[in-house]
Amino acid sequence: MASPSMIDMISAIEELSGLTTRELSEMLKESESFVLQSKADDGGPKQVDMEKLVSSLPLHLLAVCLDLGRGSDLTYVLRGMRFLHSLSELATRHTRLEQVLLDNVKLSEQVMDLIFFVLSILSHWKKENHLGASPLIHSSLVATSLHLLTSYFSSQWHELVHILLAHPKVDIFMDVAFDCLHEDMRLLSVRLSTLDSKAFGSPFDSQLNHFICQQCEASLQFLSLLCQQKLFRDRILKNKELCRNGGILSLSLTILKLGVPECLKGSMDIASSISRLKAKILSILLQLCEAESISYLDEVATLPKSMQLGQILALEVLNLLKTAFGRKQKPAAGSHDKSYPMGSVLISALRLVDVFSDDSNFRSSFITNTIPFLTQILATPHDEFVSSWCSVNLPVMEDDANLDYDPFGAAELALVAASDMLTETKANYLCPFRSISMPSVEYAQTRTSCVVKIIANLHVFVPNICEEQERDLFLQKFQKYLLSESSRPSLDHPASNEVTTVCRNLGSLSHYAKSLIPNNLLNEEDVQLLSEFAYKLQLWCKSQVGHRTLQVAKSDTSSQMKEDLQSVQQPLPTRANVTSVPDSNMDNPPKVVQNIEESTATPSMKQEGRDETPRTRVGVNGGLLQNSVGQNLIHLGVARTTSAGYAGAGTATSMELPRCKSADHFKSPEPTKEGGLRDDDERQPKRKKRTIMNDGQVNEIENALVDEPEMHKNATSLQTWAEKLSRQGSEITSSQLKNWLNNRKAKLARIAKERGGLYDGENADKPSTPTTCHFGDSSESAGEESYLPPSRVLNDLGISKGNRLVIPDTNDPTTQAEFNLTNRPFTRPFSFEPGRPVLLIDNEGNEIGKGEIFQVEGRAQGKGLVESHICIIDISELKIEKWRELPHPSEASGRTFQEAESMHGGVMRVAWDIARLTPVAP
């Protein structure tokens, strides 16, 4: 039996929770000593001590939640959460209320526990079915509870993430938040499916279903905004239930399978809301897939059940695109009305397909299943294709928006529905929108670049990585699909024209794609792969449909293809120029004339007697990248070679390790966490990179190689160091370490050969001058393409990391001065001592602070000379936010600049890469 104080508490909450914030504010202003005057049930006066009520509210609601199932129901909990929202909003305008509600640490902990506990209950609340008010109460309580986090704690997402991650039960919060949302989506799916049998839907049905859609969207939007924060996203990637066990995949499938019942097809409110739900879940998946700390798709592929879910999801995304780009699909009425934003469904789906097609776990299935929707795009009549895919002036584009969620109004409607007093007039709940659409030019270019990259991902062939049967596999399947489609002609697209149209459109796309390179949406390699695919398809097309049927497209395609191939293969200003000389006849592929200084020739493609020997090479400037602070860094990755024999196969800059990774035929390493520093500029095209060691591990093994240069030949030593390195980061096996060492030796050998120098792989880490040159005996392992040896190794080769010849023994002051002025950051052993002032550069090349060297971690090379990757810096001036994550977080220094400052008594002492330090001139 409830105590009198409990009864008074319940009656006070039921009365006050229904008041608007304006009404509550007026009552607080009129109150004396923070005591509200109201009427009791018998008509007499009643007093409510607000300080006592507010300070007891979280614990009271927790007690009610514990009693759920034994008389209490969710409606009262919803009233209490709505009341907390109102109090949190008022607290910013009432000092006394702010002191009681927000400044009390213990009360804040209780509110957080309450939110977590309510979500935990809702994630398992399956007591009632989809009928009646239950889905309305459940969905609004989930959304209201999540949004209480921003209402009570912080509306700044980065601050809220830090608060959540500091809570010991944050992983439970993640689990139950996604589970609650999934349960709401199931309820919505069941309600919509029951309407399929109806001939028509009433406006009241439409309003109720739209209300549930908005509550689901508000919850999903909240989680999506959390996932945009790197720290929260990285924590999710470590959550076994959500990632490895397929929790997010299962939720995604439920959302993507939502459809508008036939009887509600005229309701643009529901159609647009469901479309935005799909756009937001695709956005979450994309954020997880593009995260660089942990490979989400590798986590998915760990378990067969999750891998199967991932493959089903991939097919669902492809079916979505196939439907959207279907030739007979006509835009629904009002689908492009800005009053009903549909969300960025197609652009997110295309970006996701780009990621999936670039992943070793899914590429093999994508080779076949991606072709139908690509064909639908490429078989579009030429003029229509050019205006849609080779232009920034799209006739229509997707409008996206976020909801401005109103928890008070949502709770009010759900409570009225629970009391069986809801009418059609009262059910008209509509959240306002805030547009978040991409600029039209960016949207059009991103859309086109995704199609180009998908084709490049599926067509790329890398010798020594891909099996021989994978060469031109995508091309062959594409040809086979075109033949099967041409056997079923339609009135819209006669069989005789479809293949020709595809070839012609590919030529136009290849030509237009070049304009996207300067915007960093594509790189030369993407365009080159597309050009090769289009060229080979054109040759096949000519052989299939005859020369006469190709004349329609030849005047357009041939000139564009020649210009495209010639442009992609234009020689960079390098010592090892590669010049493309296309034959005047398109029947013959371009020939390649190479400078004799190039290390390894790429065989020209011939129809007869073709050299099929796979070779990899690194051009001197073809393998150079300009980093963000203006330094020419030698890119030590293997050139991602196209099919053997294609002209200009190695001319692309930004050469990276292959994207061609078949789940069945690929020789891929074990899934590992990515390590090392990389350019985080979001504008750069991302490629999947796998590194087996982080910076600390690389630094450790480099130091060890000085004393043990032949480690790769000693099995015992390899095992010992593999175990030692595994304790400092991701797990490394002795075979992986041996491959890494062999690859390192081979890369150094290629650099020396490109420079015309000599290199002794066995003595790379000895101070003596190299005398011989030979290549390593192992194939390149995936992922070490971004590895850069320390400056002492490159100095021995006569090469600096700034792509300049180093003359260690020179006494010419002019040469030394020029070196010091033109090389930033440090690119060679430098004179370090504590107290030396330096500038701190981030991985985007921006100066973010100043400081002094406190300590150098490394091995002494001589007086004042130290070779190391890391310095300990005392920062005196920081130009970015203190909550930013450190490049080398640790228990000793903390994870953020703010933690580093607090852990060292006000001194911001952090570890920083020497490669990102710049000396300050005295």
Side-chain angles (χ1 to χ4, degrees):
M1 182 176 178
S3 64
S5 60
M6 173 70 81
I7 294 174
D8 292 342
M9 191 84 170
I10 292 174
S11 62
I13 291 174
E14 287 182 341
E15 179 183 352
L16 297 177
S17 66
L19 300 177
T20 64
T21 53
R22 173 178 287 186
E23 292 169 336
L24 273 175
S25 180
E26 291 297 325
M27 292 182 68
L28 286 173
K29 288 179 180 178
E30 297 171 359
S31 67
E32 296 182 3
S33 302
F34 212 48
V35 176
L36 299 183
Q37 304 291 333
S38 64
K39 292 184 179 180
D41 294 336
D42 57 3
K46 184 176 70 173
Q47 293 183 336
V48 178
D49 186 336
M50 283 298 292
E51 182 170 350
K52 183 178 180 182
L53 176 64
V54 170
S55 59
S56 304
L57 182 58
L59 277 181
H60 168 72
L61 292 175
L62 277 169
V64 171
C65 288
L66 288 172
D67 199 42
L68 284 173
R70 296 195 299 270
S72 300
D73 59 27
L74 293 177
T75 56
Y76 181 76
V77 179
L78 181 57
R79 293 182 191 277
M81 300 300 278
R82 180 177 66 171
F83 190 35
L84 273 173
H85 267 283
S86 299
L87 293 174
S88 300
E89 184 180 338
L90 281 175
T92 57
R93 304 194 295 270
H94 290 266
T95 305
R96 181 77 179 276
L97 183 58
E98 183 179 18
Q99 292 173 348
V100 175
L101 182 64
L102 303 183
D103 294 344
N104 188 325
V105 176
K106 186 176 181 181
L107 197 65
S108 297
E109 292 175 352
Q110 292 173 0
V111 172
M112 183 70 81
D113 290 339
L114 172 64
I115 295 171
F116 284 16
F117 191 54
V118 168
L119 292 174
S120 179
I121 292 173
L122 293 174
S123 66
H124 300 96
W125 190 263
K126 300 177 181 179
K127 178 180 176 181
E128 307 215 22
N129 59 23
H130 64 279
L131 301 174
S134 179
L136 282 72
I137 293 291
H138 191 283
S139 60
S140 58
L141 186 51
V142 171
T144 301
S145 299
L146 288 172
H147 281 79
L148 185 57
L149 289 168
T150 49
S151 176
Y152 183 89
F153 292 99
S154 176
S155 59
Q156 300 299 311
W157 293 98
H158 64 274
E159 293 179 358
L160 179 59
V161 165
H162 281 287
I163 294 171
L164 286 172
L165 294 181
H167 198 283
K169 296 181 180 179
V170 63
D171 292 306
I172 295 177
F173 163 75
M174 292 176 176
D175 288 339
V176 297
F178 279 95
D179 285 347
C180 285
L181 177 58
H182 200 173
E183 182 60 26
D184 283 335
M185 292 299 178
R186 291 192 192 100
L187 291 171
L188 175 62
S189 178
V190 172
R191 284 183 66 96
L192 293 175
S193 63
T194 57
L195 294 175
D196 279 333
S197 58
K198 291 188 177 182
F200 63 92
S202 67
F204 191 53
D205 285 335
S206 178
Q207 288 175 327
L208 292 182
N209 284 293
H210 182 228
F211 173 81
I212 299 175
C213 284
Q214 289 180 91
Q215 304 311 302
C216 293
E217 184 178 355
S219 300
L220 183 58
Q221 175 179 298
F222 187 93
L223 296 176
S224 177
L225 290 171
L226 280 179
C227 288
Q228 289 179 13
Q229 304 298 311
K230 181 180 183 300
L231 293 178
F232 191 85
R233 184 168 64 243
D234 289 348
R235 189 62 175 261
I236 282 186
L237 288 168
K238 297 177 183 177
N239 187 297
K240 182 178 179 182
E241 188 61 34
L242 293 178
C243 294
R244 184 168 295 190
N245 291 345
I248 292 179
L249 288 177
S250 182
L251 168 64
S252 302
L253 278 171
T254 301
I255 295 175
L256 292 178
K257 289 181 178 180
L258 288 176
V260 181
E262 197 64 36
C263 63
L264 297 179
K265 288 290 186 182
S267 173
M268 285 308 303
D269 283 327
I270 293 180
S272 61
S273 187
I274 290 177
S275 183
R276 288 193 304 273
L277 284 171
K278 295 180 180 181
K280 285 178 170 59
I281 195 62
L282 289 174
S283 175
I284 290 178
L285 286 171
L286 191 61
Q287 290 164 19
L288 295 177
C289 288
E290 292 183 340
E292 296 185 340
S293 59
I294 298 175
S295 170
Y296 173 66
L297 294 182
D298 278 351
E299 290 295 304
V300 168
T302 303
L303 298 177
K305 180 182 178 181
S306 299
M307 182 64 185
Q308 185 179 17
L309 276 176
Q311 291 173 333
I312 295 172
L313 174 76
L315 292 177
E316 197 69 35
V317 174
L318 290 174
N319 286 334
L320 187 153
L321 290 172
K322 184 178 177 182
T323 302
F325 294 125
R327 294 190 291 270
K328 294 183 179 180
Q329 278 295 114
K330 302 297 181 184
S335 62
H336 298 290
D337 186 342
K338 291 185 181 295
S339 302
Y340 302 99
M342 306 296 286
S344 300
V345 181
L346 300 185
I347 197 72
S348 296
L350 283 170
R351 290 176 63 192
L352 198 59
V353 171
D354 172 30
V355 173
F356 272 79
S357 64
D358 193 20
D359 185 82
S360 60
N361 303 299
F362 294 91
R363 182 179 181 274
S364 58
S365 60
F366 259 69
I367 286 181
T368 300
N369 295 314
T370 309
I371 293 174
F373 102 84
L374 286 175
T375 305
Q376 285 179 328
I377 293 173
L378 294 169
T380 306
H382 183 67
D383 291 342
E384 182 181 337
F385 177 84
V386 171
S387 64
S388 296
W389 296 95
C390 302
S391 169
V392 295
N393 300 314
L394 299 183
V396 292
M397 62 173 286
E398 294 176 299
D399 295 312
D400 206 349
N402 276 343
L403 298 181
D404 279 333
Y405 184 62
D406 173 22
F408 191 91
E412 179 66 23
L413 190 148
L415 291 170
V416 171
S419 62
D420 294 327
M421 298 175 60
L422 188 62
T423 62
E424 186 174 327
T425 304
K426 293 181 180 180
N428 192 22
Y429 172 86
L430 187 64
C431 286
F433 299 114
R434 284 183 294 107
S435 176
I436 56 170
S437 299
M438 294 173 66
S440 58
V441 173
E442 181 185 354
Y443 177 87
Q445 292 180 335
T446 302
R447 185 169 170 261
T448 300
S449 68
C450 286
V451 173
V452 174
K453 287 189 284 187
I454 291 167
I455 295 175
N457 291 341
L458 298 175
H459 181 60
V460 68
F461 177 83
V462 186
N464 301 328
I465 299 297
C466 297
E467 298 292 340
E468 184 60 32
Q469 58 264 34
E470 293 183 82
R471 187 190 301 275
D472 286 338
L473 179 61
F474 175 62
L475 177 67
Q476 295 163 11
K477 288 183 177 291
F478 198 91
Q479 293 166 349
K480 184 177 180 181
Y481 184 81
L482 286 179
L483 288 176
S484 66
E485 285 293 293
S486 64
S487 64
R488 298 191 297 271
S490 65
L491 293 176
D492 294 334
H493 297 273
S496 59
N497 293 333
E498 184 166 288
V499 176
T500 302
T501 301
V502 169
C503 289
R504 188 181 186 192
N505 288 340
L506 272 172
S508 297
L509 182 63
S510 179
H511 180 73
Y512 175 74
K514 294 180 296 183
S515 66
L516 303 181
I517 295 176
N519 299 331
N520 292 321
L521 291 168
L522 293 173
N523 57 38
E524 287 91 344
E525 189 181 10
D526 294 321
V527 179
Q528 183 180 348
L529 286 164
L530 174 65
S531 299
E532 180 194 354
F533 178 79
Y535 174 75
K536 289 185 175 182
L537 191 67
Q538 186 190 41
L539 293 180
W540 171 82
C541 174
K542 185 179 295 186
S543 67
Q544 288 295 316
V545 299
H547 184 77
R548 184 174 59 84
T549 59
L550 194 63
Q551 294 302 316
V552 178
K554 186 171 182 179
S555 60
D556 179 75
T557 309
S558 295
S559 60
Q560 289 180 356
M561 288 301 301
K562 289 180 184 178
E563 183 182 351
D564 181 56
L565 291 170
Q566 194 168 13
S567 173
V568 172
Q569 297 163 12
Q570 283 294 321
L572 295 168
T574 71
R575 293 170 51 211
N577 287 340
V578 180
T579 306
S580 174
V581 185
D583 194 285
S584 60
N585 188 348
M586 275 301 288
D587 291 338
N588 297 320
K591 299 176 182 179
V592 178
V593 180
Q594 295 176 326
N595 189 292
I596 59 173
E597 290 182 311
E598 182 169 341
S599 62
T600 306
T602 302
S604 60
M605 183 175 67
K606 300 179 181 179
Q607 298 296 358
E608 295 180 7
R610 181 171 61 182
D611 182 2
E612 294 287 349
T613 305
R615 300 180 187 178
T616 58
R617 66 179 189 82
V618 179
V620 176
N621 253 22
L624 291 177
L625 291 178
Q626 186 77 12
N627 81 343
S628 54
V629 292
Q631 181 189 15
N632 289 327
L633 294 178
I634 299 174
H635 194 293
L636 293 177
V638 180
R640 192 180 70 181
T641 317
T642 56
S643 297
Y646 179 67
T651 59
T653 60
S654 185
M655 298 179 187
E656 300 171 9
L657 209 66
R659 295 175 294 184
C660 173
K661 309 171 192 171
S662 168
D664 299 322
H665 307 300
F666 223 140
K667 300 175 183 177
S668 59
E670 298 177 49
T672 60
K673 294 183 181 180
E674 294 187 351
L677 292 169
R678 53 176 62 86
D679 191 350
D680 285 335
D681 193 338
E682 292 297 331
R683 298 170 298 175
Q684 295 292 334
K686 293 188 177 180
R687 294 297 177 217
K688 191 168 184 65
K689 299 180 180 178
R690 296 167 183 260
T691 55
I692 66 170
M693 289 196 287
N694 58 35
D695 283 350
Q697 292 170 313
V698 171
N699 189 35
E700 186 78 16
I701 196 65
E702 284 291 350
N703 290 334
L705 286 172
V706 176
D707 301 319
E708 195 176 353
E710 298 186 4
M711 182 188 299
H712 62 288
K713 295 183 178 180
N714 189 330
T716 303
S717 182
L718 284 172
Q719 183 61 38
T720 301
W721 274 102
E723 293 174 357
K724 184 175 181 180
L725 293 172
S726 297
R727 292 193 290 269
Q728 301 180 26
S730 58
E731 183 178 354
I732 300 170
T733 64
S734 58
S735 60
Q736 285 178 315
L737 179 57
K738 182 178 180 180
N739 283 340
W740 188 92
L741 293 171
N742 286 333
N743 294 335
R744 173 185 179 277
K745 179 177 66 174
K747 289 168 186 177
L748 291 173
R750 285 197 298 272
I751 292 172
K753 190 170 183 180
E754 293 286 351
R755 288 294 180 183
L758 298 175
Y759 171 70
D760 182 0
E762 302 301 327
N763 297 298
D765 298 288
K766 295 180 181 179
S768 59
T769 303
T771 58
T772 62
C773 175
H774 60 83
F775 287 91
D777 55 0
S778 67
S779 63
E780 297 293 326
S781 64
E784 296 307 319
E785 68 273 23
S786 59
Y787 166 71
L788 192 64
S791 54
R792 59 180 168 76
V793 177
L794 295 181
N795 286 342
D796 287 340
L797 301 176
I799 304 167
S800 78
K801 293 184 185 178
N803 191 30
R804 297 172 54 86
L805 292 178
V806 178
I807 310 173
D809 299 327
T810 183
N811 294 319
D812 185 350
T814 304
T815 303
Q816 293 295 336
E818 181 188 7
F819 179 85
N820 291 335
L821 287 173
T822 58
N823 287 269
R824 294 177 61 193
F826 300 141
T827 59
R828 58 182 289 177
F830 210 89
S831 177
F832 291 109
E833 57 270 342
R836 184 182 183 93
V838 290
L839 300 178
L840 283 74
I841 308 298
D842 67 7
N843 51 14
E844 296 179 357
N846 302 316
E847 178 187 324
I848 58 95
K850 299 179 180 178
E852 294 182 350
I853 295 176
F854 173 74
Q855 180 184 344
V856 180
E857 296 183 355
R859 175 177 54 79
Q861 299 286 309
K863 185 175 181 181
L865 292 179
V866 175
E867 178 61 42
S868 172
H869 288 283
I870 304 295
C871 265
I872 305 301
I873 306 297
D874 285 347
I875 299 178
S876 57
E877 178 184 342
L878 188 66
K879 298 181 180 180
I880 61 175
E881 297 87 347
K882 291 185 178 181
W883 52 261
R884 295 285 186 91
E885 188 172 4
L886 297 174
H888 298 284
S890 66
E891 293 183 3
S893 63
R895 298 190 59 83
T896 65
F897 290 97
Q898 189 169 15
E899 290 180 12
E901 185 177 34
S902 63
M903 294 176 74
H904 294 91
V907 178
M908 198 180 298
R909 184 167 296 162
V910 302
W912 209 262
D913 295 89
I914 287 180
R916 290 189 171 86
L917 290 176
T918 300
V920 177

